[in-house]
Every structure is written in C-alpha cells, then in structure tokens.
C-alpha cells in the first residue's frame, strides 16, 4: 500500500485496514500532503484504534513537529485521556523531567481554563461553539466535542491531567480528585471515570475507607461516585474485593433511591458471585427507570447451559419486550452467545430481528444460528446493507451462512 493509501485509510478510521497496510510494510511515520504525520492525523480525529495500530508499528509520539509540539502534546491538547494514555504508554521511559513538566502544565492550563475558553484562545475565533456528545474509543466513557475556527477538542482535559498525574507519581488528595469528578454532575464523562479509575488503582484501604461516608451522603452524586468506585475496585481485583463488596452492595441495593446510583450498585453486583444478587435483580425488574432495568438481565445468574431460577425466563421475556430499546438490547446481548438458549431463548432472539438497531439484529441472527434455529436465514435478510470493510472480524456477519453450510445449504 502506498503512503497516499495509508493516509486515506487513517483518515477513514479503518483501523483494521491500517494494520493490514502496516503489516505489509507501510511506513508508520508517513505524512499527509501537508507534511503532518499520520499519527497526528489520528490524534486530530480522536481515533484511538487507528492510533494504537500506528503506535504498535513504531510511530513515534515524541516526533518533533514544525510547530514545536509532538504527537503526544497534541494528544494532551485534544482532551482525550484514553488517547493520551495510549501514546504515553509507548514513550513513558523516554520522557525527561522537562517533558513531564511540560505535559502537566499543558493539561493543567486547559483543565483550569475549560475546553471552550481554551479553544477560543487557541484559535482566536469568535462566534458560537458547536458541541456534541461522543463516546470514547477506549472504554465506557464519553466527552463533549467542541469545534470552533476549524479546530476540535474534547472537553476531557481534567481527565487528561488526572491520568498524567497518576502516571507521573503526582499524588493528589482524595478530596481534590473527588471535587474534580463531582464538577461533572454525572458519571459517564471521562473527567469522572478517570478519577474513579485512578482512585481505585491506589491503596485499597484508602478507597474502601472513603465508601461509607460517600454511600450515606445526602447528595446522590456522592453515592453514585461511591458505587462506581466499588465497581471499579471489583473490576481491578474481584477475587479479593468480592466479599467486602457484597457486604456493602447487597443492603445498599435495597435502600438506594436514586436511579443512577442504584444502577451502578446493581452493576457492581454483577461482579459478585453471590446467590442473593439474583433476588436483588428480580426485585428490580419492573423498576420505573430503564437504567436500572437494563442491568437486571446480567444479575440473573446461570450455568453455562441453563438459567436455574424459576422466574428467570419470565423476567427475561418481559424485559425483551420492554418499551426502552436499551433494555431490549441488554437482553439480546446476554442471549446471543448463550449456549443454553433453547426454544424459549430462540423465540426471544427472533423478536429482536425487528429492532431498529442494526447491531442488535446482527447479534440476534448470530444467536439464532448458534441455537441452530432456521429463523436466522430470514433474519439475515432483515439485517440490511452492511459495509464489511468496517468490520475487522466478520464472524458475527457470517452466522447465517455457517448455519446454511451445516445444513447443506
């Protein structure tokens, strides 16, 4: 593949084709027509998957650029914490104290100024800023993307600062980081999730010691933060945290009144091998908030081939016809790879073939094929056009042909 073609694939965000090109010998330091390295093109597009492919092939995050910056500095300015951490992970042992100070200062300025004011300073432009919500490539978190004067940034500079401080050994007090998180007033923004992650990575005693006061706070945001922190502690080390978490989360689930905090408590219980968690899930299957209902399917414990609770399939059937598409998608996600699906589960999967979400339809077809159900063939026709070049792994897309091949079709 030529350098021009590599640039085109990077701009298109097709990470798997970028990897193919790099494996075939394309230069990861290729520049575009303006002399910009393709790693910077990926950073400007906030494309973590493409950046990962280039980094793995040897693209240099510390490559000096004509404006005096580097791809790593541009990642910091981008406001994307996951992207910054990805670049930093490839050069952490090459950074001088001066480099670290510059990165911290740049992130600190943007964090203190705010993304919109920083964007106005950087561009000198006036007029309204275009803002839209975007998910992150690297995890279950989100940002607002702000665009002005031909420049775009994510508003996660405080998340970038939190991650840089953690990686450089700068220990901020718990309350300082908590304040940084609470400034967001919701739990899915990167500024919040990065603080949760960093605090969970510290001494378990410090994190666990903060939970009781936060869990009993009158402010539901503090309770949500505590629940997210417990869940992250479980994600990092479920084996040692499981018993402690169960003792905290089980009574909490019966008492929590805020839907967001309750949903986080229930998600924490999905990490806990505790029979009582199943009853907690069943008790909330008709909760008025869909954020709570969509966690319930994951709390219905099962063996590899069967749900053992007598009410489990009835609850799954009710949730499969829930008025909220997110709840229905959660049931499909649970069932499409379940080896013990059986006729009841297959009927539920067939119902998802009418969903507006194409990915849900694709997974429903795959689940029906796994259950050896002929409805996968007609279901495949209902999926609609799919750009296979956007799929690095087409296993899901080929479920119906595999079924046909097994049956001599």
């Amino acid at each position: 593949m030529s350098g021009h073609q590599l640039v085109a694939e990077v701009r298109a965000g097709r990470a798997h084709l970028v990897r193919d090109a790099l494996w075939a010998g394309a230069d990861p330091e290729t520049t575009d027509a303006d002399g910009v390295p393709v790693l910077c093109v990926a950073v400007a597009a906030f494309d973590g998957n493409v950046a990962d492919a280039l980094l793995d092939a040897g693209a240099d995050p510390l490559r000096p650029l004509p404006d005096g910056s580097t791809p790593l500095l541009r990642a910091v300015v981008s406001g994307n914490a996951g992207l910054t951490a990805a670049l930093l992970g490839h050069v952490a042992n090459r950074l001088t104290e001066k480099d670290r100070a510059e990165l911290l200062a740049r992130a600190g300025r943007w964090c203190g100024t705010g993304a919109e004011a920083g964007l106005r300073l950087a561009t000198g432009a006036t007029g309204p800023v275009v803002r839209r919500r975007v998910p992150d490539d690297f995890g279950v978190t989100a940002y607002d993307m702000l665009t002005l004067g031909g420049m775009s940034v994510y508003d996660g500079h405080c998340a970038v600062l939190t991650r840089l401080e953690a990686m450089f050994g700068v220990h901020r007090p718990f309350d300082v980081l908590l304040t940084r998180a609470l400034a967001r007033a919701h739990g899915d923004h990167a500024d919040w999730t990065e603080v949760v992650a960093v605090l969970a990575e510290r001494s378990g005693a410090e994190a666990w010691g903060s939970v009781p006061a936060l869990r009993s706070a009158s402010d539901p945001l503090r309770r949500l933060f505590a629940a997210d922190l417990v869940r992250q502690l479980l994600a990092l080390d479920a084996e040692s945290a499981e018993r402690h978490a169960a003792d905290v989360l089980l009574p909490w689930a019966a008492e929590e009144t805020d839907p967001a905090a309750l949903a986080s408590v229930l998600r924490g219980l999905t990490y806990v091998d505790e029979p009582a968690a199943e009853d907690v899930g069943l008790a909330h299957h008709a909760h008025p908030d869909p954020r709570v209902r969509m966690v319930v399917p994951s709390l219905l414990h099962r063996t590899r081939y069967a749900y053992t609770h007598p009410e489990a399939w009835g609850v799954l059937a009710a949730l499969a016809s829930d008025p909220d598409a997110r709840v229905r998608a959660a049931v499909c996600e649970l069932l499409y790879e379940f080896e013990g699906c059986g006729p009841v589960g297959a009927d539920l999967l067939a119902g998802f073939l009418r969903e507006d979400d194409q990915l849900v339809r694709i997974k429903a077809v795959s689940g029906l094929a796994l259950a050896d159900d002929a409805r996968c063939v007609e279901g495949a026709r209902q999926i609609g056009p799919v750009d296979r070049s956007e799929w690095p792994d087409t296993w899901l897309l080929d479920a119906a042909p595999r079924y046909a091949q097994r049956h001599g079709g």
Side-chain angles (χ1 to χ4, degrees):
M1 179 182 287
S2 68
H4 176 75
Q5 290 172 310
L6 177 62
V7 171
E9 296 299 351
V10 169
R11 290 194 183 281
R14 290 190 280 261
H16 61 294
L17 294 182
V18 170
R19 287 190 184 276
D20 288 347
L22 293 167
W23 286 335
D27 184 0
E29 295 288 5
T30 296
T31 59
D32 67 9
D34 297 320
V36 178
V38 283
L39 181 57
C40 290
V41 174
V43 168
F46 312 100
D47 196 325
N49 293 318
V50 168
D52 261 351
L54 294 167
L55 291 165
D56 290 343
D60 186 5
L62 296 182
R63 175 176 175 171
L65 301 173
D67 64 358
S69 70
T70 64
L72 179 55
L73 272 171
R74 291 191 179 191
V76 168
V77 171
S78 80
N80 186 313
L83 194 59
T84 301
L87 269 67
L88 187 59
H90 283 259
V91 294
N93 61 347
R94 292 169 51 197
L95 296 175
T96 65
E97 287 301 317
K98 181 181 178 181
D99 292 331
R100 294 183 178 207
E102 183 178 12
L103 292 167
L104 287 168
R106 189 72 61 95
R109 283 197 298 272
W110 277 86
C111 177
T113 302
E116 181 170 340
L119 192 57
R120 293 188 185 280
L121 286 170
T123 62
T126 59
V129 169
V130 177
R131 182 186 295 260
R132 68 182 178 89
R133 196 73 162 175
V134 290
D136 178 33
D137 284 336
F138 288 98
V140 185
T141 191
Y143 299 83
D144 282 354
M145 185 173 78
L146 286 69
T147 301
L148 177 70
M151 179 178 177
S152 295
V153 296
Y154 281 12
D155 66 341
H157 298 96
C158 290
V160 172
L161 180 59
T162 298
R163 179 49 56 186
L164 289 177
E165 288 172 343
M167 296 183 79
F168 296 161
V170 179
H171 188 99
R172 296 296 182 200
F174 186 98
D175 287 346
V176 170
L177 293 179
L178 176 62
T179 299
R180 203 178 278 177
L182 294 178
R184 279 298 170 179
H186 49 74
D188 65 344
H189 191 278
D191 287 357
W192 175 293
T193 57
E194 203 65 36
V195 168
V196 171
V198 165
L199 288 175
E201 290 163 8
R202 289 186 184 179
S203 163
E206 180 187 22
W208 282 112
S210 70
V211 168
L214 290 169
R215 175 244 189 279
S216 60
S218 59
D219 180 3
L221 275 180
R222 290 176 177 268
R223 302 200 302 271
L224 174 60
F225 187 87
D228 283 359
L229 183 56
V230 172
R231 184 158 49 90
Q232 185 66 19
L233 287 163
L234 279 163
L236 290 176
D237 189 5
E239 187 175 347
S240 65
E242 190 172 358
R243 186 64 263 161
H244 194 174
D247 292 342
V248 170
L249 296 175
L250 286 170
W252 190 353
E255 301 164 4
E256 182 55 64
T257 56
D258 179 72
L262 175 58
S264 184
V265 169
L266 296 183
R267 285 196 296 272
L269 283 172
T270 65
Y271 291 88
V272 175
D273 186 14
E274 168 58 60
E278 188 170 31
D279 291 325
V280 169
L282 291 167
H284 289 92
H285 81 275
H287 193 279
D289 196 295
R291 291 172 295 178
V292 174
R293 298 197 303 275
M294 66 189 293
V295 186
V296 170
S298 297
L299 284 166
L300 302 180
H301 293 171
R302 66 190 188 200
T303 67
R304 182 176 175 183
Y305 298 106
Y307 282 96
T308 55
H309 196 288
E311 296 181 39
W313 280 111
V315 169
L316 285 172
L319 295 173
S321 58
D322 193 274
D324 193 286
R326 294 170 297 175
V327 179
R328 301 193 301 272
V331 179
C332 183
E333 185 69 27
L334 200 71
L335 292 180
Y336 89 97
E337 290 185 309
F338 181 36
E339 295 184 30
C341 204
V344 175
D347 286 345
L348 296 182
L349 285 168
F352 299 129
L353 297 173
R354 299 183 294 274
E355 289 290 326
D356 291 337
D357 188 328
Q358 186 183 54
L359 183 57
V360 172
R361 300 198 302 273
I362 289 170
K363 289 182 175 180
V365 168
S366 180
L368 287 169
L370 179 64
D372 212 38
D373 190 300
R375 285 174 288 186
C376 69
V377 177
E378 177 58 32
R381 300 189 184 102
Q382 299 179 45
I383 288 175
V386 176
D387 184 355
R388 296 177 73 92
S389 69
E390 298 291 337
W391 287 71
D393 184 352
T394 58
W395 176 261
L396 272 179
L397 300 180
D398 295 331
R402 289 196 302 274
Y403 169 89
Q405 186 176 33
R406 289 198 306 271
H407 290 271

